[in-house]
């Protein structure tokens, strides 16, 4: 077996993301479908406005959070498969050299669909557990007639069956694409590095600066894995936008919304950051080991490998802050414009500062944990793996 | 002076635990060229790792001018390596995403050596500063590794089978570079090899067998790299 269940289990980050996406989308769209059934019972124009606002909110929330999480999950899946092929390219190269076709090897990657299935099932079930409370909050002023919870089989199909098959197929297709490289490229690491380095050589020559080795390594680490840079921006973006949005949600909507948003934000931020930083450290263990052999301190190793991501994460925080403000501004000004008693929305400065301070503290604690992990890298074990 | 006293080192645990170094003692004078000679599995590389502070000994002491490095913390040991030691390995261990210049700079920065490019030129790679390890031959990669080690201006240079992966001609070239630079800078060399001919270049020869030193002798006449067999 080229890919095992254990490898799929490492994709728990995707399971968590899919779980969040399915939870939010199922809850809102199930609500939408259920209130559509009572539309005919609405006679008052005010109630109809409230009804339309509820439908719009559900669509926007499902599209924004579901879409955003779906795209991130796809990027993560592709990133993970690429990383998996990079790590196991020798084994995969041997299989190809023995005569296994690309498709035959790639078919084994369907197993990554299981991570999506698990996340989707959990998210779907959780949605139905939370739904009674959610329905009650959505209609707590009893503006709409009584709404009963119904199970919609099509939603199960859209959010559990379809994603599982699509992600399994996507895994096979991407693995097939990655395996198209010549056998020698898979068997010998150096050939790939040669091909990549040759491509950018002229740029690098022209930009040669007289800076420290650790700074060179910092910028090289950042440039070599752009997907990880995206994930770190995304993680801080999630933290920033979701925590600040949850503060505003307490006034604009309900505490339940606030709690839901902050939970999803924190889960997304931490899982993404965990995946990204772990990959950064794992893919640089040999470099770190060599630096330690030559006498670079733990602090210098961390500065060179992880230091570049600090500024990037602050950029993510700023983007998240702007995003949540713009999103809520649009929601209040456009979606709720016809609804009375909607509180006035202003940029929440204290919330931003609380969120920023929490972000700095949490980020530095995480970096400290990873620097301790770097300290524990066994020089000898790494050298034996070379 | 480097002094190892009754070094013991174990690998594995419980039933699979076995003794790799069985009470090894040795003295190496400053500026010496010592070769540790032994067959595969004799414990010579483990001894080199312990001597250089890459690994802790389970028993015994290793001292540099009286300072015992087996009792200091990992951070202090890293600092010690930074100030005193450089390595050249059989597998080169170059950083694949860094070009020749940056790989050597890795060593040079630790010693604040701004003139490291002259060392790259001295090992004959002045024209290949922007090449990546994958674009170099084995011999060239090993010369980068030599330049990286020497750019650090070490007091002691440890070499673990530096010519093990090279053909005769390239192997001789690499050793020639090292010896020439040793004459120039006067550092101590401790080299592990299984090649008996290379031992003829050394001042002190330490023979190891089954985790013990079986013989230590001084070469009265040190041959140069082109006088020895291969």
């Amino acid at each position: 077996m080229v890919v095992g269940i254990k490898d799929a289990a490492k994709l728990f980050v995707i399971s968590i993301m899919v779980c969040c996406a399915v939870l939010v989308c199922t809850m809102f769209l199930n609500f939408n479908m259920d209130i559509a059934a009572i539309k005919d019972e609405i006679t008052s124009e005010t109630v109809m406005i409230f009804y339309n606002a509820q439908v719009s909110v559900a669509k926007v929330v499902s599209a924004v959070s579901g879409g955003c999480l779906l795209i991130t999950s796809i990027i993560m899946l592709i990133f993970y498969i690429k990383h998996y092929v990079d790590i196991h390219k020798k084994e995969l190269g041997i299989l190809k050299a023995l005569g296994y076709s690309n498709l035959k090897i790639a078919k084994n990657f369907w197993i990554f669909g299981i991570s999506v299935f698990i996340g989707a099932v959990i998210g779907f079930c959780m949605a139905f557990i939370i739904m009674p409370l959610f329905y009650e909050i959505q209609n707590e002023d009893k503006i709409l007639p009584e709404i009963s919870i119904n199970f919609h089989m099509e939603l199960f199909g859209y959010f559990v069956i379809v994603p599982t098959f699509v992600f399994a197929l996507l895994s096979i297709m991407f693995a097939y694409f990655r395996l198209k490289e010549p056998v020698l490229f898979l068997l010998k690491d150096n050939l790939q590095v040669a091909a990549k380095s040759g491509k950018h050589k002229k740029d690098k020559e022209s930009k040669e600066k007289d800076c420290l080795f650790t700074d060179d390594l910092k910028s090289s680490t950042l440039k070599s894995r752009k997907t990880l840079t995206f994930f770190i921006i995304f993680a801080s973006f999630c933290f920033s936008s979701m925590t600040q949005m949850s503060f505003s949600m307490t006034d604009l909507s309900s505490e339940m919304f606030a709690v839901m948003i902050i939970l999803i934000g924190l889960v997304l931020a931490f899982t993404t950051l965990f995946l990204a930083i772990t990959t950064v450290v794992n893919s640089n263990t040999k470099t770190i080991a060599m630096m330690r052999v030559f006498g670079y301190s733990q602090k210098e190793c961390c500065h060179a490998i992880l230091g570049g991501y600090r500024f990037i994460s602050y950029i993510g925080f700023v983007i998240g802050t702007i995003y949540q403000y713009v999103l809520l501004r649009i929601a209040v000004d456009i979606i709720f414009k016809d609804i009375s008693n909607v509180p006035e929305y202003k940029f929440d400065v204290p919330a931003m500062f609380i969120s920023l301070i929490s972000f700095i503290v949490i980020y530095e604690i995480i970096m400290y944990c990873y620097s301790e992990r770097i300290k524990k890298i066994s020089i000898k074990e790494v050298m034996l793996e070379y | 002076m480097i002094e190892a006293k009754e070094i013991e080192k174990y690998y594995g645990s419980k039933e699979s635990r076995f003794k790799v170094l069985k009470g090894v003692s040795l003295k190496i004078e400053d500026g010496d060229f010592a070769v540790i000679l032994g067959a595969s599995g004799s414990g010579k590389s483990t001894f080199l790792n312990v001597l250089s502070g890459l690994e802790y000994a389970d028993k015994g002491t290793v001292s540099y001018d009286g300072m015992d490095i087996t009792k200091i913390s990992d951070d202090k040991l890293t600092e010690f390596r930074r100030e005193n030691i450089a390595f050249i390995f059989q597998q080169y261990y170059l950083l694949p995403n860094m070009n020749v210049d940056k790989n050597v700079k890795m060593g040079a920065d630790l010693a604040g050596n701004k003139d490291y490019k002259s060392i790259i030129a001295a090992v004959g790679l002045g024209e290949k500063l922007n090449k990546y390890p994958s674009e170099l031959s084995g011999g060239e990669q090993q010369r980068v590794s030599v330049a990286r080690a020497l750019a650090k201006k070490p007091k002691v240079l440890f070499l673990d089978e530096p010519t093990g992966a090279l053909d005769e001609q390239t192997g001789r070239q690499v050793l020639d570079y090292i010896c020439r630079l040793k004459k120039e800078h006067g550092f101590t060399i401790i080299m592990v090899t299984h090649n008996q001919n290379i031992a003829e270049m050394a001042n002190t020869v330490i023979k190891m067998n089954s985790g013990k030193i079986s013989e230590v002798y001084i070469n009265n006449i040190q041959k140069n790299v082109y006088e020895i067999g291969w």
Side-chain angles (χ1 to χ4, degrees), chain B residues 9 23-24 46-47 67 89 98 103 142 148 164 176 179 202 213:
Chain B
K9 179 77 188 169
V24 183
T46 305
F47 185 43
M67 187 188 80
F89 300 99
M98 299 293 221
N103 262 290
Q142 191 59 300
R148 179 180 64 181
D176 188 35
C179 290
I213 291 178

Side-chain angles (χ1 to χ4, degrees), chain A residues 70-81:
Chain A
L70 182 74
I71 291 166
T72 316
S73 302
I74 291 172
I75 294 171
M76 278 196 171
L77 180 80
I78 288 171
F79 166 77
Y80 185 76
I81 293 173

Side-chain angles (χ1 to χ4, degrees), chain A residues 66-107:
Chain A
C68 180
L69 292 169
L70 182 74
I71 291 166
T72 316
S73 302
I74 291 172
I75 294 171
M76 278 196 171
L77 180 80
I78 288 171
F79 166 77
Y80 185 76
I81 293 173
K82 182 183 173 292
H83 186 63
Y84 185 89
V85 172
D86 283 347
I87 288 176
H88 295 89
K89 60 186 165 198
K90 280 192 182 162
E91 292 101 303
L92 297 168
I94 290 167
L95 287 177
K96 273 187 80 169
L98 286 171
Y100 283 85
S101 70
N102 288 344
L103 190 62
K104 199 169 172 69
I105 302 171
K107 273 181 188 171

